[in-house]
Amino acid sequence: MTTTDKAPVADWATDFDHTHPEYAAHAPEIWDDLRERCPVAHSDRFGGIWLPTRHADVEAVARDTDHYSSEGVIASPFKPEGIAPRGYAPPITSDPPFHAEARRLLLPAFAPKAIARWEGATREACRELVDDVLAGDARVVDAAADYAQHIPVRVIAEMLGVPREDGDRFRVFIHRIMETPGEGLEGLSYEDTLDYYLNQIIESRRAAPPQDDLIGYLLEAEMEGQRLDNEHIRGTIALLIIAGIDTTWSAIGASLWHLAQHPEHRARLRAEPELVPFAVEELLRFYAPVTMARIAASEVDLGDEHVRARDWVLLPFPAANRDPEVFEDADRFVIDRQRNRHVAFGVGIHRCLGSNLARMELTVALEEWLARIPEFELADPDPTAVTWSTGQVRGPRQLPIRILDHGDPV
Amino acid sequence: MRIVYDRDACQGHGRCYSLAPALFDSDDEGYAVVLVDGDVPVEHEQAARLAADNCPEFAIGIVE
Ligand code: SF4
């Protein structure tokens, strides 16, 4: 839900607005329509913006770091200017060659073996949350607000080493940055900003003894023989908070939304637990939450279109994932799909750093939910009862679910 | 059957080592490491194909 009224969109091919509530509600249909009749859509909004919908075009832009800069990854009316190669939130906003070094710093912390360490804590958090959901007599619960959203918040707070209560503040920051970029900033005091929060954290952590967590690691880390400056550290923590929460929450929420409507898939997951890894990848393909943005560094051709220097280009990975040229039965959810080269986590040098973490959280969140709540359905058949986020991360924000059956208590 | 792995193309998606743990491992940064030298054992051929078919970066090739 946006705070401002958006001008209505007459034609998605020439005037799309990915922050429009209509887009939030109908994005997959809009992508399918555009892929057929106008594979690279354009809009004058946001100062000029493009939306490729074919897998080949999305992939080509993602891989072309010469013509497209990452200095802006969230399209808004305000275009960052002259902050490459580092950008606000390294490494996601960084361009080569700075990018590779900034990313290498973080890779070990997000490699599968490092992530495995967090699985137990994630499982515990999920169990606690299911307990809360099942406490009381309510048989209708909000699977997005009461379950999905808390999981990544807890995990990332623990990895960073900040108090769990700070999670409530994270969600406010994220909403402002991701869902209504550039809006509603009047009257906001500096003390209420993510920037202020992070400065406080860094200052207090520098004054205290070193701690063995991600912030502690960043404070000690060196790039080319130099400690990272505050700006780099602040940007990277901001990235981990912003990219780590909304996205995973969306993936968990969309997956539960799907399972609520597909008893046959719930039954298969119960009967064949070895399907879970395939089902998770198919959920990621079908409900990929993330659309990334780039800024054209110079004039460049994109499909049959001509992009001007400094135009925005969106990379809707979920649209690429539904391209029939690449996926057999692209518009069908195939729970045991064997060939699944999906790009939910992007492609190329900016492949989502947190993909192993996200995949683990999604898997654990579904396993724990299904173990205790094997049967559930949408509480309200009216599709507007489920609200979808606007902007570049897509997932249900309100997801009323009716619990039909409890599993055995653990 | 042999596996051809392109380290420059690999971006550490991890699809290969989760689908075919007998054939691939991950290094400390999450990039793939091929565990077999030479021919893929027959019982793992299916897993090798699965890994190749799921790598978003086309970093894994199969030579029959
Ligand atoms: S699936 Fe491809 S990109 Fe991912 S780790 Fe394996 S080889 Fe690398």
Side-chain angles (χ1 to χ4, degrees):
Chain A
M1 299 286 101
T2 48
T3 49
T4 49
D5 290 329
K6 296 270 177 188
V9 172
D11 183 347
W12 290 95
T14 53
D15 183 37
F16 75 88
D17 181 346
H18 64 289
T19 63
H20 202 285
E22 275 293 300
Y23 186 85
H26 301 294
E29 297 95 278
I30 293 170
W31 297 321
D32 287 348
D33 167 49
L34 290 174
R35 211 184 292 108
E36 290 265 303
R37 68 183 175 98
C38 176
V40 180
H42 178 261
S43 169
D44 288 327
R45 300 183 194 218
F46 304 95
I49 185 165
W50 301 86
L51 179 78
T53 46
R54 295 180 56 233
H55 185 283
D57 292 331
V58 171
E59 190 184 348
V61 175
R63 291 190 192 283
D64 183 355
T65 52
D66 290 335
H67 290 100
Y68 300 96
S69 167
S70 287
E71 70 181 333
V73 292
I74 302 172
S76 91
F78 308 104
K79 214 169 277 175
E81 198 80 56
I83 56 166
R86 174 156 79 183
Y88 291 116
I92 200 174
T93 57
S94 307
D95 289 330
F98 183 93
H99 166 267
E101 286 306 308
R103 183 176 169 95
R104 187 162 304 137
L105 277 181
L106 294 170
L107 279 172
F110 289 91
K113 283 167 195 163
I115 291 309
R117 208 180 121 200
W118 298 101
E119 187 177 327
T122 307
R123 206 169 283 285
E124 211 173 295
C126 292
R127 286 187 183 165
E128 254 177 59
L129 289 165
V130 176
D131 280 343
D132 292 348
V133 160
L134 292 178
D137 290 330
R139 281 299 158 257
V140 173
V141 298
D142 188 332
D146 297 337
Y147 184 67
Q149 88 170 288
H150 296 283
I151 298 164
V153 170
R154 289 204 192 168
V155 173
I156 205 76
E158 199 158 330
M159 285 179 80
L160 286 171
V162 302
R164 190 196 266 191
E165 304 76 69
D166 288 6
D168 294 331
R169 305 189 59 190
F170 294 172
R171 289 194 296 275
V172 176
F173 300 140
I174 292 168
H175 173 75
R176 201 188 294 144
I177 296 166
M178 300 297 292
E179 294 218 57
T180 55
E183 296 168 24
L185 299 175
E186 322 77 39
L188 189 73
S189 80
Y190 180 58
E191 282 75 14
D192 284 334
T193 63
L194 176 60
D195 219 39
Y196 176 81
Y197 168 79
L198 294 175
N199 280 332
Q200 294 288 102
I201 293 261
I202 292 170
E203 209 176 293
S204 68
R205 289 293 299 270
R206 281 206 196 279
Q211 252 171 259
D212 179 23
D213 51 33
L214 261 178
I215 294 179
Y217 171 75
L218 288 170
L219 291 173
E220 298 289 319
E222 288 185 1
M223 223 174 105
E224 280 157 5
Q226 303 265 339
R227 286 281 171 85
L228 308 181
D229 58 28
N230 274 3
E231 213 176 313
H232 188 152
I233 296 176
R234 192 168 61 222
T236 297
I237 304 175
L239 163 63
L240 300 177
I241 291 175
I242 293 169
I245 295 177
D246 233 21
T247 50
T248 312
W249 162 21
S250 297
I252 299 170
S255 299
L256 290 173
W257 179 73
H258 176 93
L259 292 173
Q261 299 169 84
H262 292 276
E264 75 283 13
H265 291 158
R266 296 197 300 268
R268 278 200 72 187
L269 288 178
R270 248 195 328 270
E272 306 161 69
E274 67 281 4
L275 266 190
V276 169
F278 292 94
V280 162
E281 298 305 329
E282 181 67 346
L283 288 164
L284 285 167
R285 179 184 77 87
F286 217 62
Y287 301 107
V290 178
T291 290
M292 217 20 91
R294 297 280 187 268
I295 296 175
S298 56
E299 281 183 40
V300 55
D301 289 330
L302 169 48
D304 294 334
E305 308 293 338
H306 189 71
V307 173
R308 292 170 312 177
R310 307 303 295 168
D311 277 354
W312 290 105
V313 178
L314 288 175
L315 300 180
F317 297 122
N321 280 348
R322 290 175 184 235
D323 185 343
E325 266 182 41
V326 177
F327 299 93
E328 213 175 300
D329 291 329
D331 56 357
R332 214 157 58 82
F333 184 95
V334 180
I335 196 165
D336 55 355
R337 187 180 287 274
Q338 299 285 303
R339 300 170 64 103
N340 197 351
R341 226 184 272 278
H342 73 74
V343 291
F345 295 113
V347 276
I349 64 166
H350 285 279
R351 184 269 306 173
C352 169
L353 181 74
S355 63
N356 299 303
L357 176 63
R359 189 175 272 129
M360 181 277 282
E361 288 182 60
L362 174 57
T363 306
V364 170
L366 295 179
E367 284 172 351
E368 292 304 321
W369 176 283
L370 288 169
R372 303 275 300 283
I373 310 175
E375 293 301 334
F376 54 104
E377 63 181 12
L378 294 183
D380 187 339
D382 177 356
T384 61
V386 177
T387 60
W388 293 77
S389 56
T390 59
Q392 287 176 231
V393 176
R394 184 165 193 275
R397 289 297 174 264
Q398 279 169 303
L399 177 57
I401 291 280
R402 180 175 299 104
I403 296 171
L404 300 173
D405 183 19
H406 289 211
D408 294 327
V410 180
Chain B
M1 174 197 277
R2 293 195 317 119
I3 293 171
V4 184
Y5 165 59
D6 179 352
R7 172 66 173 77
D8 289 336
C10 174
Q11 296 293 345
H13 286 259
R15 302 291 302 283
C16 56
Y17 44 78
S18 52
L19 287 164
L23 305 175
F24 298 90
D25 195 2
S26 68
D27 70 12
D28 289 345
E29 294 183 342
Y31 295 99
V33 178
V34 185
L35 298 174
V36 283
D37 208 8
D39 283 343
V40 174
V42 184
E43 67 273 26
H44 294 309
E45 286 189 350
Q46 188 50 29
R49 278 196 198 95
L50 208 53
D53 283 346
N54 284 279
C55 172
E57 307 289 346
F58 295 84
I60 300 172
I62 297 289
V63 182
E64 300 278 354

